[in-house]
Amino acid sequence: MTSERFKIFDELQQGVQVIDPDFRYIYLNEVVATHAKSTVNDLVGYEMEEKFPGIQNTKLFEKIRDCMTHSREANLKNEFEFPDGSIGYFELRMERIKEGVIIFSYDATEMVLEQINSKREKTALESELQEKLEELELKNEELKQFSYITSHDLQEPLRTLRGYVDIIQRNYKDSFDDRGLKYLEFIMLSVDRMSDLINDLLEYSRLGNQREKEEVDLNELLQEVLHLLEAAIASSGAKITMDELPIVYCNKTHLTQLFQNLLSNAIKFKKDFQSPVVHISSERKDGYWIFCIEDNGIGIPEKHHHKIFKVFQRLHNRQKFEGTGIGLAHCAKIIEMNEGKIWVESEPGSGSRFYFTIPCTNGK
Ligand code: ADP
């Protein structure tokens, strides 16, 4: 039954089959038999419907019929369900010939499955990313809420406390002995401290709202910072020197805050009976500006080098060195937002060198 003239397709890598007007296989090569999970002998001479029940209701069959009746050639991507329930994907081209319809086929199952899998993976990745983004937004929202609570709700009871202590100090002074009055003073100092902590925390959580960057001449910025620190410099007798500094692309408010925190620490954590000597230098390396603020102060043990960049971490008591312990956490957050790094090199008694980096942009 197999027409001799189709024998030339036997060796072809592509599937070839010929179907007669009764929808019977009159020729097919091994490739098609393999695609169909069958053998040539098992299919040739049989009607399509006999071998693949239900095929007459498929789009493929409709196309074959259309080609048979109207000589309409067609290209088709076909999803095919085998009798064992597995699915195959084929790219087909069919044409009308005098024996019926000839179909060339290419098994695209592997390629399509790969595409489906990588699409699935991509979708999974995208939805994971979306989830993380939503989580982050939620956290941001919580942080904003937290800022509001700290600024508003927590300051309110402190104001009330301050108000009552003030009334007691003014109107009931005579009911207290010296020790009682001292305790009232301690309460006031604690209230002020709590208020400072809340304000610092609030400022820290608001940092994320300022993101605009511009070209900033650090020589000018440092003059402003030194002006802000005038009182501390004068009272400590600090000597501050600096190299010629670069122009960098950054958020100006952030950098002002950063230098102010680092310099005020360099002045504050001085040795007894020794005036602070501070030097600011910069160096360009591997696409980054590296800045260093070096002091001759009390120094920091190595085991605390990481800890001090966290919120409220202090190594000294307040009686000796004033502060809330948030300054360096502020610096770390600023540097993170400006895509740099911050670290310290220091030993007790040998001063400290605080380093931070900022990416150089536009070759500057
Ligand atoms: P604060 O200055 O309010 O205490 P910071 O976050 O700025 O808080 O600093 C955290 C701690 O790191 C300080 O309490 C101090 O113990 C240590 N520290 C920071 N800068 C220096 C410095 N230049 N020299 C020595 N210790 C420092």
Side-chain angles (χ1 to χ4, degrees):
M1 188 175 277
T2 308
S3 178
E4 278 302 309
R5 75 186 191 102
F6 300 128
K7 278 243 173 263
I8 50 159
F9 297 132
D10 281 357
E11 303 305 318
L12 218 62
Q13 297 292 305
Q14 214 178 10
V16 183
Q17 54 189 302
V18 181
I19 289 152
D20 76 5
D22 294 328
F23 300 98
R24 197 185 303 274
Y25 295 103
I26 55 169
Y27 168 80
L28 53 100
N29 64 6
E30 290 288 348
V31 179
V32 173
T34 313
H35 288 174
K37 299 187 176 181
S38 186
T39 61
V40 172
N41 286 341
D42 227 18
L43 293 171
V44 169
Y46 292 92
E47 282 179 25
M48 297 176 81
E49 205 181 322
E50 270 177 275
K51 289 292 169 185
F52 301 104
I55 199 169
Q56 70 280 14
N57 303 319
T58 61
K59 198 168 136 202
L60 168 67
F61 197 82
E62 197 184 300
K63 287 275 180 197
I64 299 174
R65 188 191 287 127
D66 194 44
C67 184
M68 198 79 80
T69 325
H70 305 291
S71 301
R72 214 172 273 152
E73 51 191 56
N75 291 316
L76 178 71
K77 280 193 171 78
N78 187 45
E79 184 182 316
F80 188 78
E81 187 174 346
F82 293 103
D84 66 3
S86 62
I87 304 269
Y89 298 90
F90 299 93
E91 284 184 8
L92 309 169
R93 164 149 189 92
M94 56 184 80
E95 283 175 32
R96 185 73 164 96
I97 53 174
K98 71 174 175 356
E99 289 86 349
V101 170
I102 185 164
I103 305 172
F104 299 91
S105 58
Y106 164 74
D107 185 354
T109 309
E110 221 170 277
M111 196 180 76
V112 172
L113 287 181
E114 248 171 49
Q115 279 170 359
I116 290 174
N117 275 343
S118 78
K119 201 169 165 190
R120 236 182 242 148
E121 273 167 27
K122 200 172 153 222
T123 317
L125 211 70
E126 274 169 0
S127 72
E128 200 181 318
L129 214 68
Q130 183 61 27
E131 239 173 64
K132 287 263 178 297
L133 219 69
E134 280 165 18
E135 244 175 61
L136 211 68
E137 268 168 23
L138 199 73
K139 286 216 171 95
N140 262 340
E141 204 38 57
E142 279 170 9
L143 199 67
K144 274 190 199 152
Q145 196 78 13
F146 173 71
S147 312
Y148 179 77
I149 290 168
T150 48
S151 69
H152 191 265
D153 295 9
L154 289 183
Q155 291 286 16
E156 186 52 39
L158 284 185
R159 266 194 290 277
T160 312
L161 199 59
R162 196 180 278 125
Y164 280 120
V165 175
D166 190 45
I167 293 171
I168 293 171
Q169 281 175 330
R170 275 191 284 115
N171 302 345
Y172 301 92
K173 209 174 162 196
D174 298 339
S175 320
F176 290 89
D177 60 8
D178 282 353
R179 188 181 281 189
L181 289 174
K182 199 93 202 124
Y183 289 159
L184 284 177
E185 238 175 71
F186 286 159
I187 295 177
M188 270 311 216
L189 285 175
S190 291
V191 168
D192 287 345
R193 171 143 181 88
M194 176 103 176
S195 180
D196 284 350
L197 288 173
I198 291 170
N199 283 335
D200 279 358
L201 203 56
L202 186 63
E203 217 173 285
Y204 177 74
S205 61
R206 275 193 190 133
L207 253 184
N209 295 340
Q210 308 150 353
R211 296 203 171 256
E212 312 76 43
K213 290 187 181 179
E214 58 186 309
E215 289 200 336
V216 179
D217 184 339
L218 292 183
N219 301 294
E220 286 169 18
L221 184 137
L222 253 301
Q223 290 314 315
E224 285 173 34
V225 172
L226 292 184
H227 185 61
L228 291 170
L229 295 174
E230 229 165 47
I233 294 172
S235 67
S236 64
K239 188 165 176 278
I240 300 185
T241 52
M242 65 189 80
D243 293 347
E244 174 76 20
L245 298 174
I247 294 173
V248 294
Y249 188 69
C250 64
N251 179 285
K252 192 175 174 196
T253 318
H254 285 174
L255 268 257
T256 307
Q257 180 86 61
L258 179 78
F259 275 109
Q260 191 179 340
N261 288 359
L262 292 176
L263 283 177
S264 74
N265 278 351
I267 298 169
K268 180 166 62 173
F269 294 103
K270 70 182 202 64
K271 287 183 191 154
D272 289 337
F273 315 113
Q274 194 180 48
S275 296
V277 177
V278 184
H279 184 70
I280 307 159
S281 57
S282 68
E283 182 194 347
R284 194 183 166 140
K285 202 173 169 194
D286 301 332
Y288 283 86
W289 282 109
I290 307 174
F291 296 91
C292 176
I293 287 121
E294 180 170 12
D295 65 50
N296 62 339
I298 56 173
I300 305 161
E302 195 178 344
K303 64 174 178 188
H304 296 314
H305 285 186
H306 283 289
K307 180 175 150 182
I308 55 172
F309 292 100
K310 299 209 162 74
V311 174
F312 294 150
Q313 296 293 337
R314 311 197 72 230
L315 307 179
H316 309 97
N317 64 31
R318 272 185 300 115
Q319 277 65 38
K320 190 150 170 104
F321 298 106
E322 258 299 314
T324 54
I326 211 164
L328 286 180
H330 228 113
C331 294
K333 193 166 170 188
I334 286 172
I335 286 300
E336 187 191 307
M337 287 168 69
N338 284 278
E339 292 141 53
K341 274 190 193 157
I342 186 164
W343 70 97
V344 64
E345 286 174 7
S346 177
E347 270 174 49
S350 310
S352 308
R353 285 170 308 283
F354 279 85
Y355 292 92
F356 67 88
T357 62
I358 301 184
C360 307
T361 9
N362 308 330
K364 287 178 183 135

